[in-house]
Amino acid sequence: MAEPLPIYEIERDIIARLQRDKRLILSAPTGSGKSTQVPQILLKHGLLGSGQVVVLQPRRLAARLLAARVAQELGVKLGEEVGYQIRFENCTSAKTKIRFVTEGVLLRQMINDPKLSGVSAILFDEFHERHLYGDITLARTLDQQEKFRPDLMLAVMSATLNAGELKKYLSPCAVLASVGRMFPVEHEYAELPAYSDKRPVWEQAADAFSRYVHCGGEGDVLVFMPGGFEISQTIEAIRHTSEAKGFILLALHGELPPRDQDAAVARYDKRKVVVATNVAETSLTIDGVRLVIDSGLARVARYDANRGINTLLIDKISQSSADQRAGRAGRTAPGLCMRLWSREEHAHRAAQELPEIKRLDLSEVVLTLKASGVEELRKFRWLEKPDEISLAHAEELLTDLGAIHENKITAVGRKMLAFPLHPRYARMLLAAQEYGCVHQACLVAALTQGRDLLLRNCGKEVDSAREDLLGEKASSDFWILMRAWSFAFNNQFRVDACRKLGIHAVTAKQVGPLFDQFLRIAKDEGLDMRPNEVKDENLQKCILIGFSDRVARRMDQGTLRCELVHGRRGVLARESVVQHSPLFVAAEIREIEGRDREVNTILSLGTAVEVEWLRALFPDDIKSDVHVQFDAQQKRVLAAELLKFRDLALSAKRIDPPPADAAARLLADEILAGRLLLPNWDHHVEQWLARLNLLCQECADLQLPAIRDDDRKSIIEQLCHGAVNYKDIKEREVKPIVMSWLSQAQRELLDKHAPERLTLPNGRTPKVNYENGKSPFISLRIQELYDVNQTPKVAMARVPVTVHILTPGMKPIQVTQDLASFWREHYPKIKSELARKYPKHFWR
């Protein structure tokens, strides 16, 4: 008899709404039975007719385990009435009525069969996770339902869902909610913030486990960790506690073989501890869990479109994810969730996860949309629009690969879709036909789809064995992987044999079926997939064609630092065999947070390439460019002719002397920045410029040309012309070049209306001081101003000259622009005092 799950309470409503509205939003908490029971409800009530229900799952592990669970409940063999289909694996048959799939599988099916023949209903499970293909598939399903299949039923299901916006997007649709029968879950937070606890997170989890068991806590334990490394460390830390006695310790993550995954969700007579990634956050039910220990962390995939780099960094989960994890403790009885962060920290976490469409590479999904006839991506029915930079980058990459042209998919693009791979690898496989190495290219593609084949940091003994059996010299890291896989294959993937070379035996075994599948697809596409003997460079060129935007150049031989196209930088992986190749392509670029929290951009899966290959394959992207720069140490301009692939310099040839104009510009920049000084650009030159600026401002009718900042730079460039270093310009005459800005007639106007010296009525000729933005001034002792009763003026008598009146001892008496008033009012008051102080001087 079936377990009385909460979803049954709204069973009739589900049937009625889907029959009437064809669209349904179903909100049901964890453990309500929606993932396993709703497809069975549709089958039981005859809504599927002769068709099937397709249940979309965000994760491969969930799709497989849920299918197995439903098959068991129905008492049928997995792969017959109930099956699953994920990338690279199809466990279904003509009998299948309930098919669990990952999201990309259905979207690809729509390309070949827009009407979705044989599909009666589509269920989008755990939609709150907002996976990229889930969003796109929902949009395409709505289009197909409106255009071709008004009878098609679709339901969007989730435990935590903001139904408001989604209801508007799906309108018209019905909304149902299952209250559920969750047992209460108590939340316990760390006393101090997570950043203040310096212990590794696995030690914190082990300590929480010990406290729970020591205090008499019952039931099984589920621990959430961000990745495989942290999981293994957590299991070891718990194993070494005295409280772990009698517990079965199990790992659960997507890279484990199916047998180990099944073991983690199986029932046991003993208590168990399951340490899992966020694959256990939704869909899967692990019975008996009474305690959840949550690290609050997950490895989150992101894509930086500006740099074209995939990142896989440990990040804090959202409040919504934390609630999902906590709910795992209240499935069968009251439970406890121990969060390894403080209550205050929790309040500052994001409410929801950022949708994948905002953080992942869009090139594969864009190609799929183009194949579906979507030419204008900006007008597509997005649930949430992607970032414009990410969208443009995806189009740019697909254009470079020859997959799209002028917004439309090309014949090459359609052929690429036949391979369930990232467009880069699909393009590489098609190029392999031209170079006669399809067989080898299929193996390369298969080797990159799972986890790393070769383990790292295995010790000197393993490194030595690898060098002996795999070789240490090769023109590509892929050659080493291919040799390693062949070794594992020839040894029947035995763990003991693989361990000697540090080969991950399970991963190696998983490569074989993928390899066979790619070979079958290649054959179906008319490619020559026979294992021909070919030169290494043939396959290297194919890899280059798929990864031309990943061309990298070693910056120096002393380090592993590299420059890539598009102005990026990274570090070549230490284990790479292309360390002595000046030029290579990196099939993988990852920004990874290390165990010390330092973030590094790692270039791996390198393949050596030649400049001549770039010339032949990408003639329009090879350009010669002259690069000129100022060397501050030598105080000299240097120039080189650079050979560039796109924006990456491949080689440099020195040019001596440098181009004169460019050298003059750089020297002028250094002078203007104050890093180089011109001794002859002195006060006299600045005075001449100030005189000219005054007339340009006050006497525009003279039509003298002003010297602005750009003009000053031009004059300095003229001064520097023909020079290549500071020594050449240091003693050059400046004033004649500056004065050449004006013609002879203009210089005469300058001398007349902004003279260097004034002639006063008493015959004196004081020097005039000019300052930008201020009135010009003269400085004279009081006796030198006798008989000068009116303030002198310049600039066609429009600008009064400020007079600094001094004592015979050169101390200031007054600053004025009104001499007449000074003589009339002020002078009589100070004359007697000045006469007493300076008796030897004549006083009027």
Side-chain angles (χ1 to χ4, degrees):
M1 184 175 176
E3 183 183 354
L5 294 167
I7 199 71
Y8 295 148
E9 295 178 1
I10 58 171
E11 179 175 353
R12 292 185 179 279
D13 290 332
I14 292 172
I15 297 303
R17 297 298 175 85
L18 280 176
Q19 285 179 322
R20 186 188 71 189
D21 301 314
K22 304 302 180 187
R23 297 179 184 177
L24 173 65
I25 296 174
L26 177 58
S27 177
T30 299
S32 62
K34 63 182 181 305
S35 301
T36 57
Q37 302 309 308
V38 173
Q40 294 186 62
I41 288 172
L42 299 185
L43 177 64
K44 182 175 69 174
H45 286 270
L47 267 68
L48 302 181
S50 60
Q52 64 178 201
V53 56
V54 178
V55 188
L56 274 75
Q57 287 295 325
R59 297 182 179 86
R60 292 176 296 174
L61 185 149
R64 190 184 66 78
L65 291 181
L66 286 170
R69 179 73 172 262
V70 173
Q72 182 185 33
E73 290 180 0
L74 291 176
V76 298
K77 184 179 178 182
L78 182 62
E80 295 187 355
E81 286 84 353
V82 181
Y84 67 92
Q85 188 176 355
I86 60 179
R87 181 177 284 202
F88 311 132
E89 190 175 349
N90 186 352
C91 183
T92 63
S93 67
K95 296 180 181 179
T96 302
K97 300 292 289 183
I98 298 175
R99 177 164 58 112
F100 287 85
V101 304
T102 43
E103 295 150 330
V105 169
L106 185 62
L107 189 57
R108 283 177 172 268
Q109 181 181 340
M110 289 182 183
I111 297 173
N112 300 319
D113 181 15
K115 295 183 179 181
L116 290 173
S117 304
V119 176
S120 299
I122 301 175
L123 307 180
F124 294 80
D125 199 14
E126 307 300 352
F127 192 77
H128 72 280
E129 294 193 24
R130 295 297 307 282
H131 282 239
L132 174 59
Y133 272 97
D135 279 13
I136 301 302
T137 306
L138 179 58
R140 294 299 295 152
T141 302
L142 292 175
D143 285 344
Q144 308 307 64
Q145 188 187 52
E146 292 171 0
K147 293 177 183 177
F148 309 117
R149 291 289 309 280
D151 62 312
L152 181 65
M153 295 172 287
L154 68 92
V156 177
M157 310 191 301
S158 178
T160 59
L161 195 62
N162 181 1
E165 287 298 315
L166 189 59
K167 182 179 179 182
K168 189 186 302 182
Y169 180 72
L170 293 174
S171 181
C173 75
V175 179
L176 286 177
S178 171
V179 177
R181 295 175 185 167
M182 285 290 296
F183 288 90
V185 175
E186 182 183 348
H187 296 84
E188 181 181 302
Y189 291 88
E191 293 183 6
L192 298 174
Y195 57 80
S196 66
D197 192 335
K198 304 303 181 184
R199 295 175 300 164
V201 68
W202 48 85
E203 289 185 10
Q204 297 177 45
D207 181 57
F209 167 80
S210 294
R211 284 189 282 113
Y212 176 79
V213 176
H214 184 75
C215 293
E218 299 178 348
D220 294 337
V221 179
L222 175 59
V223 185
F224 284 100
M225 284 288 157
F229 171 77
E230 292 81 11
I231 286 175
S232 62
Q233 294 295 313
T234 303
I235 289 176
E236 284 304 305
I238 292 176
R239 193 190 310 279
H240 285 88
T241 65
S242 58
E243 289 79 7
K245 186 177 181 181
F247 278 84
I248 301 172
L249 306 181
L250 300 160
L252 179 60
H253 56 81
E255 300 301 330
L256 289 173
R259 183 177 59 186
D260 293 343
Q261 294 173 350
D262 294 339
V265 298
R267 292 184 173 92
Y268 297 91
D269 294 333
K270 293 183 178 181
R271 297 172 71 182
K272 67 181 178 183
V273 177
V274 178
V275 188
T277 59
N278 54 4
V279 298
E281 189 176 300
T282 56
S283 299
L284 303 179
T285 296
I286 304 175
D287 294 326
V289 172
R290 298 286 296 277
L291 170 68
V292 166
I293 300 173
D294 190 357
S295 68
L297 304 172
R299 283 197 181 273
V300 181
R302 299 185 190 276
Y303 178 70
D304 186 336
N306 289 301
R307 296 176 297 159
I309 292 176
N310 290 304
T311 67
L312 189 63
L313 304 182
I314 295 176
D315 205 353
K316 296 175 183 177
I317 62 171
S318 68
Q319 294 180 15
S320 174
S321 290
D323 290 342
Q324 285 275 29
R325 292 181 175 188
R328 293 325 203 173
R331 173 69 179 84
T332 55
L336 171 66
C337 176
M338 302 174 76
R339 290 173 171 165
L340 304 182
W341 66 95
S342 69
R343 189 181 297 276
E344 183 181 359
E345 284 180 288
H346 185 73
H348 290 90
R349 294 201 169 199
Q352 303 281 342
E353 305 296 340
L354 188 67
E356 281 190 349
I357 201 162
K358 294 284 190 180
R359 57 180 173 86
L360 291 187
D361 179 4
L362 301 179
S363 56
E364 189 171 356
V365 77
V366 166
L367 181 60
T368 307
L369 287 176
K370 293 290 185 183
S372 301
V374 180
E375 294 182 9
E376 294 296 333
L377 294 173
R378 279 81 184 163
K379 296 179 181 179
F380 181 65
R381 189 179 193 156
W382 302 105
L383 174 56
E384 189 165 354
K385 286 188 177 181
D387 178 76
E388 175 58 30
I389 295 176
S390 298
L391 207 56
H393 186 273
E395 291 178 305
E396 180 183 53
L397 174 60
L398 293 172
T399 300
D400 287 345
L401 294 174
I404 62 173
H405 179 67
E406 295 180 352
N407 287 334
K408 295 182 180 180
I409 190 167
T410 64
V412 169
R414 289 200 179 276
K415 288 183 178 179
M416 288 165 60
L417 273 173
F419 298 92
L421 293 163
H422 189 281
R424 296 180 186 279
Y425 286 102
R427 183 67 184 91
M428 178 193 72
L429 291 174
L430 294 180
Q433 173 68 12
E434 180 182 349
Y435 290 95
C437 54
V438 173
H439 190 273
Q440 293 87 339
C442 284
L443 180 54
V444 166
L447 286 164
T448 61
Q449 303 309 306
R451 63 183 297 171
D452 291 343
L453 180 68
L454 293 177
L455 302 172
R456 297 172 186 168
N457 304 319
C458 296
K460 293 182 179 180
E461 188 175 339
V462 170
D463 289 342
S464 178
R466 280 184 186 173
E467 289 180 15
D468 291 341
L469 292 170
L470 305 182
E472 59 177 331
K473 293 184 178 180
S475 53
S476 173
D477 289 323
F478 285 117
W479 296 183
I480 302 299
L481 294 181
M482 292 164 79
R483 293 169 193 168
W485 184 80
S486 295
F487 173 86
F489 176 81
N490 292 332
N491 285 275
Q492 291 80 46
F493 306 107
R494 294 198 318 276
V495 173
D496 58 335
C498 290
R499 188 181 293 120
K500 292 178 182 178
L501 294 187
I503 297 172
H504 195 287
V506 174
T507 299
K509 195 170 184 179
Q510 292 170 344
V511 168
L514 292 180
F515 184 26
D516 292 339
Q517 182 179 359
F518 294 157
L519 289 173
R520 285 196 302 273
I521 296 173
K523 183 178 180 181
D524 292 342
E525 291 298 305
L527 306 185
D528 181 3
M529 30 71 69
R530 293 173 297 178
N532 303 316
E533 287 290 333
V534 295
K535 296 179 180 178
D536 284 353
E537 71 176 55
N538 287 22
L539 186 51
Q540 288 170 258
K541 290 176 182 177
C542 296
I543 295 170
L544 171 58
I545 289 171
F547 294 87
S548 65
D549 64 326
R550 300 274 184 86
V551 173
R553 180 183 64 83
R554 293 284 302 283
M555 294 175 65
D556 51 67
Q557 290 302 312
T559 71
L560 296 174
R561 297 180 306 147
C562 303
E563 287 184 323
L564 296 93
V565 292
H566 304 316
R568 297 167 293 173
R569 290 194 174 187
V571 178
L572 180 61
R574 292 190 178 278
E575 65 273 13
S576 177
V577 296
V578 299
Q579 291 187 14
H580 301 292
S581 302
L583 202 63
F584 65 94
V585 290
E588 191 171 81
I589 302 180
R590 296 170 294 167
E591 193 169 68
I592 295 181
E593 186 175 68
R595 298 173 192 174
D596 56 357
R597 310 294 288 180
E598 182 181 356
V599 176
N600 297 303
T601 301
I602 306 296
L603 314 181
S604 56
L605 294 182
T607 298
V609 298
E610 302 288 341
V611 173
E612 291 309 311
W613 301 352
L614 296 173
R615 288 185 190 274
L617 294 170
F618 308 99
D620 295 337
D621 293 328
I622 292 283
K623 291 181 174 59
S624 183
D625 186 24
V626 175
H627 179 67
V628 186
Q629 65 180 31
F630 181 78
D631 187 310
Q633 189 171 3
Q634 299 183 50
K635 294 186 178 181
R636 178 184 181 86
V637 176
L638 302 175
E641 182 179 5
L642 299 182
L643 182 66
K644 287 187 173 182
F645 174 66
R646 295 171 188 167
D647 61 348
L648 177 67
L650 303 176
S651 63
K653 180 181 179 182
R654 182 165 176 171
I655 300 175
D656 208 6
D661 290 345
R665 280 195 298 273
L666 287 176
L667 289 170
D669 288 341
E670 295 299 308
I671 292 168
L672 289 167
R675 291 187 287 269
L676 295 181
L677 301 178
L678 290 175
N680 292 328
W681 190 292
D682 54 15
H683 178 72
H684 296 93
V685 173
E686 291 294 342
Q687 280 290 290
W688 192 89
L689 293 172
R691 290 163 60 201
L692 176 58
N693 287 341
L694 176 69
L695 291 189
C696 290
Q697 182 177 342
E698 302 294 340
C699 304
D701 45 329
L702 293 178
Q703 297 185 348
L704 295 178
I707 296 180
R708 299 178 178 83
D709 289 344
D710 288 346
D711 302 320
R712 181 183 287 245
K713 182 178 181 181
S714 296
I715 290 171
I716 297 175
E717 285 182 14
Q718 182 182 348
L719 177 73
C720 296
H721 207 274
V724 296
N725 56 40
Y726 181 44
K727 183 179 179 181
D728 295 338
I729 59 171
K730 187 175 180 180
E731 301 302 329
R732 284 191 177 178
E733 287 297 323
V734 173
K735 194 170 183 181
I737 294 176
V738 175
M739 291 176 62
S740 68
W741 184 256
L742 301 180
S743 66
Q744 180 60 38
Q746 289 171 330
R747 287 199 293 270
E748 291 173 1
L749 288 174
L750 178 66
D751 291 339
K752 178 180 179 181
H753 297 296
E756 290 187 51
R757 290 182 176 274
L758 284 174
T759 301
L760 301 179
N762 63 7
R764 299 281 182 180
T765 56
K767 182 180 179 181
V768 184
N769 292 282
Y770 295 86
E771 291 183 31
N772 290 323
K774 297 182 180 180
S775 297
F777 70 91
I778 57 175
S779 298
L780 291 167
R781 286 173 294 189
I782 195 167
Q783 284 84 2
E784 296 172 322
L785 286 168
Y786 287 160
D787 298 324
V788 182
N789 299 317
Q790 297 296 322
T791 302
K793 295 182 178 180
V794 295
M796 299 175 73
R798 298 171 185 173
V799 178
V801 175
T802 300
V803 181
H804 292 207
I805 304 172
L806 311 175
T807 67
M810 302 302 287
K811 294 181 179 179
I813 298 173
Q814 191 167 357
V815 176
T816 184
Q817 285 188 341
D818 188 353
L819 276 176
S821 176
F822 169 78
W823 293 122
R824 184 175 62 252
E825 299 176 7
H826 194 62
Y827 181 65
K829 297 177 183 177
I830 61 173
K831 176 183 174 183
S832 57
E833 183 181 344
L834 289 171
R836 283 195 304 271
K837 195 169 184 179
Y838 300 99
K840 295 183 179 181
H841 291 268
F842 172 69
W843 297 97
R844 284 186 181 178

